[in-house]
Short mmCIF file of all heavy atoms in Angstrom, two decimals:
data_model
loop_
_atom_site.label_atom_id
_atom_site.label_comp_id
_atom_site.label_asym_id
_atom_site.label_seq_id
_atom_site.Cartn_x
_atom_site.Cartn_y
_atom_site.Cartn_z
N LYS B 232 5.25 -18.08 8.41
CA LYS B 232 6.74 -17.98 8.89
C LYS B 232 7.39 -16.71 8.56
O LYS B 232 8.63 -16.56 8.79
CB LYS B 232 7.41 -19.17 8.34
CG LYS B 232 6.92 -20.43 8.93
CD LYS B 232 7.92 -21.56 8.60
CE LYS B 232 7.54 -22.95 9.25
NZ LYS B 232 8.44 -24.12 8.87
N HIS B 243 17.62 6.22 -4.50
CA HIS B 243 18.84 6.65 -5.33
C HIS B 243 19.79 5.46 -5.51
O HIS B 243 19.81 4.74 -4.49
CB HIS B 243 19.52 7.82 -4.71
CG HIS B 243 20.43 8.54 -5.68
ND1 HIS B 243 21.83 8.05 -5.60
CD2 HIS B 243 20.38 9.42 -6.58
CE1 HIS B 243 22.48 8.76 -6.59
NE2 HIS B 243 21.69 9.70 -7.11
N PRO B 255 14.35 17.34 -10.15
CA PRO B 255 14.11 16.42 -11.26
C PRO B 255 15.18 15.66 -11.75
O PRO B 255 15.05 14.44 -12.40
CB PRO B 255 13.51 17.41 -12.38
CG PRO B 255 14.05 18.69 -11.96
CD PRO B 255 14.14 18.71 -10.45
N PHE B 271 17.90 -6.10 5.29
CA PHE B 271 17.77 -4.79 4.63
C PHE B 271 19.02 -4.45 3.70
O PHE B 271 19.37 -3.25 3.52
CB PHE B 271 17.57 -3.60 5.67
CG PHE B 271 16.19 -3.78 6.22
CD1 PHE B 271 16.14 -4.11 7.65
CD2 PHE B 271 15.12 -3.52 5.61
CE1 PHE B 271 15.00 -4.35 8.29
CE2 PHE B 271 13.85 -3.57 6.18
CZ PHE B 271 13.80 -4.01 7.62
N GLU B 272 19.67 -5.47 3.23
CA GLU B 272 20.81 -5.22 2.21
C GLU B 272 20.18 -5.43 0.80
O GLU B 272 19.49 -6.44 0.57
CB GLU B 272 21.91 -6.27 2.54
CG GLU B 272 22.64 -6.09 3.83
CD GLU B 272 23.51 -4.77 3.77
OE1 GLU B 272 23.89 -4.25 2.85
OE2 GLU B 272 23.66 -4.24 4.90
N TYR B 286 10.11 6.27 -15.26
CA TYR B 286 9.83 5.83 -13.84
C TYR B 286 8.30 5.31 -13.73
O TYR B 286 7.48 5.84 -14.34
CB TYR B 286 9.94 7.09 -12.90
CG TYR B 286 9.42 6.94 -11.55
CD1 TYR B 286 9.96 6.00 -10.61
CD2 TYR B 286 8.31 7.71 -11.10
CE1 TYR B 286 9.28 5.81 -9.40
CE2 TYR B 286 7.76 7.49 -9.89
CZ TYR B 286 8.27 6.54 -8.98
OH TYR B 286 7.83 6.38 -7.81
N ASN B 294 1.95 -11.88 -2.12
CA ASN B 294 2.43 -13.22 -2.40
C ASN B 294 3.40 -13.25 -3.62
O ASN B 294 3.39 -14.09 -4.37
CB ASN B 294 1.24 -14.14 -2.73
CG ASN B 294 0.28 -14.27 -1.55
OD1 ASN B 294 0.63 -14.18 -0.41
ND2 ASN B 294 -0.99 -14.56 -1.82
N HIS B 311 0.21 -3.59 -15.05
CA HIS B 311 0.91 -4.80 -15.22
C HIS B 311 0.94 -5.47 -13.82
O HIS B 311 1.30 -4.90 -12.85
CB HIS B 311 2.23 -4.67 -15.78
CG HIS B 311 2.35 -3.87 -16.98
ND1 HIS B 311 1.95 -4.32 -18.20
CD2 HIS B 311 2.84 -2.60 -17.25
CE1 HIS B 311 2.08 -3.39 -19.12
NE2 HIS B 311 2.69 -2.32 -18.56
N GLN B 345 -10.94 -15.10 0.59
CA GLN B 345 -12.23 -15.80 0.49
C GLN B 345 -12.66 -16.17 -0.85
O GLN B 345 -13.28 -17.25 -1.09
CB GLN B 345 -13.36 -14.74 1.04
CG GLN B 345 -14.71 -15.33 1.08
CD GLN B 345 -15.76 -14.41 1.66
OE1 GLN B 345 -15.41 -13.33 2.21
NE2 GLN B 345 -16.96 -14.73 1.58
N LEU B 362 -18.15 9.70 -8.24
CA LEU B 362 -17.18 8.57 -8.01
C LEU B 362 -17.47 7.29 -8.82
O LEU B 362 -18.58 6.96 -8.87
CB LEU B 362 -17.23 8.14 -6.52
CG LEU B 362 -16.23 7.03 -6.01
CD1 LEU B 362 -14.82 7.57 -6.20
CD2 LEU B 362 -16.48 6.66 -4.65
N ARG B 370 -8.42 -13.84 -11.97
CA ARG B 370 -8.99 -15.06 -12.35
C ARG B 370 -9.76 -15.02 -13.82
O ARG B 370 -9.59 -15.88 -14.60
CB ARG B 370 -9.88 -15.67 -11.30
CG ARG B 370 -10.50 -16.95 -11.68
CD ARG B 370 -11.48 -17.43 -10.56
NE ARG B 370 -10.87 -17.83 -9.36
CZ ARG B 370 -11.45 -18.19 -8.26
NH1 ARG B 370 -12.81 -18.15 -8.22
NH2 ARG B 370 -10.88 -18.50 -7.09
N MET B 376 -17.58 -2.70 -13.41
CA MET B 376 -17.97 -1.44 -12.90
C MET B 376 -18.90 -1.71 -11.59
O MET B 376 -19.88 -2.53 -11.76
CB MET B 376 -18.65 -0.65 -13.87
CG MET B 376 -19.22 0.75 -13.33
SD MET B 376 -17.73 1.85 -12.96
CE MET B 376 -17.26 2.30 -14.43
N ASN B 385 -20.83 10.40 -2.55
CA ASN B 385 -21.11 11.42 -3.55
C ASN B 385 -21.10 12.82 -3.02
O ASN B 385 -22.21 13.44 -2.96
CB ASN B 385 -22.36 11.12 -4.42
CG ASN B 385 -22.16 9.87 -5.23
OD1 ASN B 385 -21.11 9.67 -5.88
ND2 ASN B 385 -23.16 9.04 -5.37
N ILE B 409 -14.50 16.30 9.51
CA ILE B 409 -14.40 14.85 10.02
C ILE B 409 -13.54 14.04 9.14
O ILE B 409 -13.59 14.09 7.94
CB ILE B 409 -15.83 14.24 10.07
CG1 ILE B 409 -16.77 15.09 10.99
CG2 ILE B 409 -15.75 12.78 10.54
CD1 ILE B 409 -18.19 14.62 11.08
N ASP B 416 -15.06 -3.83 -0.07
CA ASP B 416 -14.73 -5.23 -0.19
C ASP B 416 -14.77 -5.57 -1.71
O ASP B 416 -15.84 -5.54 -2.28
CB ASP B 416 -15.60 -6.10 0.57
CG ASP B 416 -15.19 -7.54 0.66
OD1 ASP B 416 -14.82 -8.08 -0.31
OD2 ASP B 416 -15.20 -8.15 1.77
N PRO B 428 -11.11 8.09 15.19
CA PRO B 428 -11.15 8.53 16.66
C PRO B 428 -11.14 10.11 16.75
O PRO B 428 -10.54 10.79 15.89
CB PRO B 428 -9.85 7.95 17.13
CG PRO B 428 -9.60 6.79 16.35
CD PRO B 428 -10.00 7.17 14.94
N TRP B 436 -1.98 15.73 9.79
CA TRP B 436 -0.59 15.74 9.52
C TRP B 436 0.05 14.56 10.31
O TRP B 436 -0.23 14.29 11.42
CB TRP B 436 -0.02 17.03 10.11
CG TRP B 436 1.44 17.12 9.83
CD1 TRP B 436 2.06 17.76 8.67
CD2 TRP B 436 2.52 16.87 10.67
NE1 TRP B 436 3.42 17.73 8.84
CE2 TRP B 436 3.75 17.15 9.89
CE3 TRP B 436 2.69 16.26 11.96
CZ2 TRP B 436 5.00 16.93 10.54
CZ3 TRP B 436 3.89 16.06 12.45
CH2 TRP B 436 5.04 16.41 11.81
N GLU B 445 -2.51 -8.13 11.91
CA GLU B 445 -3.75 -8.65 11.20
C GLU B 445 -4.95 -7.76 11.42
O GLU B 445 -6.07 -8.11 11.26
CB GLU B 445 -4.13 -10.16 11.55
CG GLU B 445 -2.98 -11.06 11.21
CD GLU B 445 -2.70 -11.20 9.68
OE1 GLU B 445 -3.62 -11.45 8.98
OE2 GLU B 445 -1.44 -11.04 9.35
N TYR B 454 0.58 14.54 18.73
CA TYR B 454 0.67 14.93 20.14
C TYR B 454 2.16 14.64 20.77
O TYR B 454 2.65 13.57 20.54
CB TYR B 454 -0.40 14.23 21.07
CG TYR B 454 -1.81 14.50 20.56
CD1 TYR B 454 -2.45 13.58 19.70
CD2 TYR B 454 -2.35 15.82 20.83
CE1 TYR B 454 -3.79 13.91 19.28
CE2 TYR B 454 -3.67 16.06 20.40
CZ TYR B 454 -4.33 15.18 19.53
OH TYR B 454 -5.55 15.40 19.08
N GLU B 457 4.76 12.71 26.91
CA GLU B 457 4.94 13.30 28.25
C GLU B 457 6.31 13.09 28.79
O GLU B 457 6.75 13.85 29.63
CB GLU B 457 3.88 12.66 29.09
CG GLU B 457 2.49 12.94 28.77
CD GLU B 457 1.45 12.17 29.63
OE1 GLU B 457 1.88 11.45 30.51
OE2 GLU B 457 0.23 12.40 29.46
N LEU B 466 -1.36 4.97 18.33
CA LEU B 466 -1.68 3.74 17.57
C LEU B 466 -3.15 3.37 17.88
O LEU B 466 -3.45 3.12 19.09
CB LEU B 466 -0.74 2.52 17.73
CG LEU B 466 -1.07 1.27 17.24
CD1 LEU B 466 -1.10 1.22 15.78
CD2 LEU B 466 -0.14 0.14 17.87
N PRO B 483 13.57 7.97 20.79
CA PRO B 483 14.36 9.13 21.22
C PRO B 483 14.15 10.32 20.27
O PRO B 483 14.04 10.16 19.06
CB PRO B 483 15.89 8.60 21.15
CG PRO B 483 15.77 7.12 21.22
CD PRO B 483 14.48 6.82 20.55
N LEU B 484 14.08 11.45 20.74
CA LEU B 484 14.00 12.75 20.08
C LEU B 484 15.35 13.23 19.71
O LEU B 484 15.94 14.09 20.45
CB LEU B 484 13.20 13.71 20.85
CG LEU B 484 12.98 15.20 20.22
CD1 LEU B 484 12.31 15.00 18.93
CD2 LEU B 484 12.32 16.06 21.20
N TYR B 487 15.06 14.28 12.79
CA TYR B 487 13.69 14.34 12.13
C TYR B 487 13.37 12.92 11.74
O TYR B 487 14.19 12.02 11.56
CB TYR B 487 13.70 15.22 10.90
CG TYR B 487 14.35 14.80 9.67
CD1 TYR B 487 13.51 14.06 8.74
CD2 TYR B 487 15.71 14.82 9.37
CE1 TYR B 487 14.09 13.49 7.57
CE2 TYR B 487 16.20 14.33 8.24
CZ TYR B 487 15.45 13.71 7.36
OH TYR B 487 15.96 13.11 6.20
N ASN B 497 5.22 -6.70 12.43
CA ASN B 497 4.59 -5.66 13.27
C ASN B 497 5.57 -4.69 14.04
O ASN B 497 5.38 -4.33 15.20
CB ASN B 497 3.72 -6.40 14.47
CG ASN B 497 2.72 -7.37 13.81
OD1 ASN B 497 2.00 -6.83 12.87
ND2 ASN B 497 2.73 -8.61 14.16
N GLY B 504 16.51 10.84 9.81
CA GLY B 504 17.66 11.59 9.10
C GLY B 504 18.27 12.52 9.98
O GLY B 504 17.71 13.08 10.97
N ARG B 508 24.61 15.92 9.31
CA ARG B 508 25.54 14.94 8.71
C ARG B 508 25.07 14.56 7.33
O ARG B 508 25.91 13.87 6.68
CB ARG B 508 25.62 13.67 9.69
CG ARG B 508 26.26 14.03 11.04
CD ARG B 508 26.42 12.72 11.75
NE ARG B 508 25.21 12.00 12.04
CZ ARG B 508 25.07 10.80 12.28
NH1 ARG B 508 26.18 10.01 12.36
NH2 ARG B 508 23.89 10.18 12.57
N GLY B 509 24.01 14.97 6.87
CA GLY B 509 23.55 14.62 5.52
C GLY B 509 23.23 13.13 5.25
O GLY B 509 23.57 12.66 4.18
#
Side-chain angles (χ1 to χ4, degrees):
K232 293 189 174 184
H243 189 273
F271 292 108
E272 295 291 333
Y286 168 65
N294 300 334
H311 307 289
Q345 183 179 350
L362 178 67
R370 177 187 290 176
M376 178 67 74
N385 288 321
I409 297 174
D416 191 317
W436 188 84
E445 300 294 307
Y454 299 99
E457 296 177 356
L466 171 66
L484 177 61
Y487 80 90
N497 301 308
R508 294 188 295 159

